[in-house]
Amino acid sequence: MLDIEVQTADAWTRYGAHHATRGTNVPEVDRLAWGYWLAGPDEELLGDLTGLRVLDL
């Protein structure tokens, strides 16, 4: 694995741990938006997401 990949994975792990410790409330969403103004495809592109969590980067 490249060093930047290790650094990125570490950063996301620390970020997640910070919010888990802090108890950040993550609201449930009813629609996945891929960009601004709800333009473009939505979660139907990914198939059935029931019971799954999706991270939009």
Side-chain angles (χ1 to χ4, degrees):
M1 192 178 308
L2 297 175
D3 186 53
I4 189 65
E5 293 172 329
V6 172
Q7 292 175 19
T8 301
D10 183 52
W12 278 111
T13 299
R14 286 184 283 117
Y15 179 79
H18 164 77
H19 284 285
T21 301
R22 183 177 172 200
T24 301
N25 181 27
V26 179
E28 291 293 327
V29 296
D30 59 355
R31 185 176 196 290
L32 178 64
W34 292 93
Y36 300 106
W37 307 290
L38 298 177
D42 58 10
E43 68 272 7
E44 284 87 25
L45 181 70
L46 301 176
D48 184 17
L49 300 176
T50 304
L52 302 175
R53 298 186 75 171
V54 178
L55 176 64
D56 182 12
L57 299 177

